[in-house]
Amino acid sequence: MVYEIYPRSFADGDGDGVGDLAGVRSRLPYLRDLGIDAVWFTPWYASPMADGGYDVEDYRRIHPAFGDLAQAEAFIAEALALGIRTIVDIVPNHVSSRHPWFRRALAAGPGSPERERFWFRGGATPPTNWVSNFQGGTWTRTADADGTPGEWYLHLFAPEQPDLNWEHPDVRREHEDVLRFWFDRGVAGVRIDSAALLVKDPALPEVPDAPLPGRHPNTDRDGVHEIYRSWRALADGYRGTRILIGEVWMPDADRFAAYLRPDELHTAFNFDFMSREWRADQLRESIATMLAAHAPVGAPSTWVLSNHDVTRPVTRYGRADTAFAFATKRFGTPTDRELGTRRARAAALLVAALPGSLYIYQGDELGLPEVEDLPSGAREDPMHFRSGGVDPGRDGCRVPLPWTGDEPPYGFSSTSATWLPQPADWGGLTAERQAADPGSMLSLYRRAIRLRRSFESAPFAWIDAPDDVLAFARGDGLVCLANVAGRPVALPRGAELLLASSELVDDALPSDSTAWVRPAPAETPHR
C-alpha cells in the first residue's frame, strides 16, 4: 500500500504557503495511523516548476521550497523507523530547459557534441508533426548567436522539457548514477515517469494512423526494454529490495506486460481500471484483463483510482460520463457530489480487495473533490495553457490538503496565502474532523487498510453473481461484493459483515456500494 505525496500540497512546515519536507515530517504520525507501507514523492528536486517539478534541473539537489538534502535523508530515516519506505520519482524522458546539459547545448551551437544528448534538428520547418502530450507541437526553434533562427529541439511535453537522446552513453550513465545516488540514501525504489517514451526512431518518421506494435516513432519502442534491464540489474545489486515502478499508459495488455518481465520493472501502474466507466461490465473486464496480463510474467498488478494528473474520484464518479480521459476534460461539466462520494467509497473498497499493490493519492482518503472553480490567475498547469484555456488542467486535484479547523488554510500552513487557494467549504473534510467520525471516508480507508492485511496474500476467485454485481473471494476468509446495480442486493446467506461503504438497508447492500463479508462455511461457489 503506497501513498502518493505531491509535496507542494501535503503540508507546509515553514509558513510560506507551499508544502515542504518539514511539513511532511510533521505528519508522519498521520501516515503511520493510515497504515500504508510506503510513500511515493512526486519530484522534490531543484526545478523551475514549469510542469509541477517534472522539469528537473538537478536530481541531486532538493528544491529550496521543499528543504534540502539533509531533510530528505532525515525523512527517509524517520519514515523507515515507522515501517514506511520511501519511493522517489525519476523523469528519464526529459530534463528542464535550465538543466546544465541543455544550457551548454544551446551555448555550443549546431553540430556540437553537447547537442547530441538531445534531439536537435535543422530546417525551415519543424522536423515532424508529432503532437505533444500537452497539446500543440513537439518542436521549438532556437536562435543562433546572431539572433537568426536556429535548430529545432524535441519536447514531447512542454518546451521547457527538452527530450533526452537515450542513444547517447552520457544519458544512460547519468541516470544510472542518479539511481545509485538515491539508493545509497536508503530509498526503497523509484517511480519512472513516462516510462514508455524514452526511445525514438532516429529517422523521425510521422506517426502512422495505426502503428504496429513497437513501430510507433516515439512510444513503446522495443529498445526501451534494454534500458530497464540495465536498471533492474543495478537495483538487484543492492541488499534488500529496490523496486522499479513504471508509469506505462499502454492500451495493449501484452505490450504493457512486457515491461514486467522478471528482469525488467517490478510493477507498473494499471491505468486501465482508473479510466473505465462505473459500470459492472467495464470494471469486471478491466480486472480480468489486467490480472490475466500480469499472470504470465509473475508480477503483481497495481490498483489506483487517481493521481496528481487525474480528476478526483468524488467528482469523476458523480458525472454522466464516469470514465477518465485527458482529451475530454472541460470546464463546466456537471457532477453530483453526493453520488460521486458514494461511488468513490465503493470504489475504494473494491480496489482495496483486489490482489496486488494499492496506491492512494493524497486527499482521496479524505474524499476531497476536484476544485473546479480556481481563479484563472491561480492556475499553473501547462496542459491548461497549451489547450488555449479549454482544458481546466490538473491544478484542481493539487489543491493543498485540509488538516484542521473550519476555514482556510485548514492547518496546512501558518499563512492563508497557500500556493493554490482552498475552498471555503472544506471544514467538514479535514483530517482532524474525519478522524473523529467513524462514518467518514478517512475512517473507511483506515479500516479497509487494516483489514486488508488479513487477506492480502490470499488467492483470488470470481463468484457467481448477477451481471451488475462484482463478486469475488480472497481465499476462504473474505468475499467482496460491489453493487453497481440500480437496486439493493442481498448479502450471501449467513455471511458476517466486515465492512461496507454504505449502511445496509433491510440487510441488503444499496446501489453504488461495496461490502466485505466473511462467508458462512461452504457458501462461496467459485468459478
Side-chain angles (χ1 to χ4, degrees):
M1 288 169 282
V2 182
Y3 186 90
E4 180 190 353
I5 291 179
Y6 188 73
R8 283 207 290 179
S9 299
F10 188 74
D12 173 20
D14 63 8
D16 65 355
V18 178
D20 49 38
L21 284 169
V24 182
R25 290 170 68 188
S26 73
R27 298 294 180 178
L28 271 170
Y30 172 85
L31 297 171
R32 175 201 60 205
D33 294 345
L34 186 58
I36 48 93
D37 298 307
V39 292
W40 151 39
F41 280 90
T42 60
W44 57 10
Y45 315 108
S47 166
M49 290 289 175
D51 180 27
Y54 282 90
D55 48 319
V56 178
E57 183 177 352
D58 187 345
Y59 270 114
R60 297 170 180 84
R61 186 161 56 92
I62 299 297
H63 194 292
F66 301 153
D68 55 29
L69 184 58
Q71 287 181 302
E73 292 172 334
F75 175 85
I76 293 166
E78 291 168 14
L80 189 58
L82 297 177
I84 300 172
R85 293 182 288 178
T86 300
I87 297 165
V88 298
D89 224 312
I90 297 294
V91 190
N93 179 68
H94 49 263
V95 293
S96 166
S97 56
R98 284 170 47 179
H99 189 283
W101 279 5
F102 194 71
R103 286 188 291 181
R104 287 199 290 267
L106 291 180
S112 63
E114 289 83 357
R115 291 201 173 189
E116 292 176 1
R117 296 171 175 147
F118 299 92
W119 292 91
F120 281 91
R121 293 292 186 273
T125 60
T128 72
N129 293 310
W130 295 353
V131 177
S132 166
N133 285 277
F134 287 166
Q135 303 187 49
T138 59
W139 296 89
T140 291
R141 198 166 196 179
T142 64
D144 290 338
D146 60 1
T148 59
E151 291 187 316
W152 304 82
Y153 69 88
L154 174 67
H155 50 86
L156 293 184
F157 293 87
E160 297 86 355
Q161 297 166 290
D163 278 37
L164 291 164
N165 174 13
W166 272 86
E167 297 302 318
H168 198 292
D170 287 356
V171 175
R172 301 199 178 208
R173 279 195 298 266
E174 169 66 3
H175 281 80
E176 291 182 1
D177 284 347
V178 166
L179 292 179
R180 293 188 188 95
F181 181 88
W182 288 107
F183 288 162
D184 289 345
R185 279 156 181 78
V187 304
V190 297
R191 176 264 191 189
I192 305 162
D193 181 71
S194 301
L197 304 186
L198 279 58
V199 176
K200 281 79 172 177
D201 185 338
L204 299 178
E206 295 296 347
V207 179
D209 291 336
L212 296 173
R215 304 299 293 175
H216 192 289
N218 62 51
T219 302
D220 186 39
R221 295 187 63 79
D222 292 339
V224 77
H225 297 284
E226 176 193 344
I227 296 168
Y228 295 134
R229 281 191 287 270
S230 174
W231 287 20
R232 180 61 177 266
L234 188 157
D236 287 349
Y238 280 79
R239 180 176 298 178
T241 301
R242 300 293 191 275
I243 62 170
L244 307 177
I245 305 160
E247 182 196 28
V248 183
W249 291 85
M250 195 66 57
D252 185 316
D254 291 333
R255 298 290 298 184
F256 172 86
Y259 289 80
L260 306 176
R261 288 174 288 199
D263 62 346
E264 293 191 44
L265 307 183
H266 294 82
T267 63
F269 288 130
N270 164 19
F271 293 121
D272 182 80
F273 184 92
M274 180 184 70
S275 303
R276 296 289 186 125
E277 297 177 69
W278 182 251
R279 287 174 32 192
D281 60 335
Q282 289 280 309
L283 301 176
R284 184 183 294 107
E285 180 184 61
S286 179
I287 294 169
T289 298
M290 297 317 298
L291 290 179
H294 285 77
V297 290
S301 186
T302 61
W303 306 101
V304 55
L305 294 177
S306 74
N307 58 35
H308 61 281
D309 291 333
V310 174
T311 304
R312 286 198 182 270
V314 163
T315 298
R316 191 170 79 241
Y317 286 139
R319 291 178 166 162
D321 180 2
T322 53
F324 175 79
F326 286 109
T328 61
K329 290 186 68 173
R330 292 294 182 269
F331 285 103
T333 305
T335 187
D336 181 335
R337 184 162 160 181
E338 181 180 351
L339 175 62
T341 298
R342 187 163 68 249
R343 288 173 170 173
R345 290 172 64 92
L349 280 197
L350 173 59
V351 294
L354 293 168
S357 300
L358 174 64
Y359 284 77
I360 302 166
Y361 175 50
Q362 64 179 42
D364 281 355
E365 81 280 10
L366 300 177
L368 299 184
E370 188 87 355
V371 181
E372 300 187 285
D373 58 353
L374 289 168
S376 59
R379 296 183 184 274
E380 295 189 5
D381 186 12
M383 290 191 79
H384 167 67
F385 296 107
R386 286 176 65 83
S387 73
V390 172
D391 183 340
R394 301 163 294 175
D395 294 310
C397 66
R398 300 175 178 183
V399 173
L401 299 191
W403 291 98
T404 60
D406 297 318
E407 58 186 27
Y410 304 111
F412 169 79
S413 176
S414 59
T415 178
S416 59
T418 55
W419 77 277
L420 284 175
Q422 299 162 302
D425 63 350
W426 273 14
L429 296 175
T430 66
E432 180 182 56
R433 185 80 63 88
Q434 294 198 44
D437 178 5
S440 69
M441 184 78 84
L442 177 59
S443 294
L444 179 73
Y445 266 82
R446 285 179 172 178
R447 292 171 64 194
I449 291 172
R450 184 170 62 251
L451 283 170
R452 190 176 187 266
R453 302 283 183 196
S454 65
F455 62 83
E456 61 187 2
S457 300
F460 172 95
W462 291 107
I463 295 174
D464 289 326
D467 288 343
D468 44 13
V469 176
L470 296 171
F472 55 86
R474 296 298 308 278
D476 296 326
L478 179 121
V479 166
C480 176
L481 298 170
N483 179 14
V484 192
R487 64 186 188 286
V489 171
L491 297 181
R493 189 172 56 252
E496 173 191 357
L497 180 65
L498 299 176
L499 185 60
S501 64
S502 304
E503 290 189 11
L504 301 187
V505 178
D506 297 328
D507 295 325
L509 184 65
S511 179
D512 296 315
S513 303
T514 299
W516 293 358
V517 301
R518 179 177 290 117
E523 288 287 337
T524 55
H526 299 181
R527 62 176 171 86

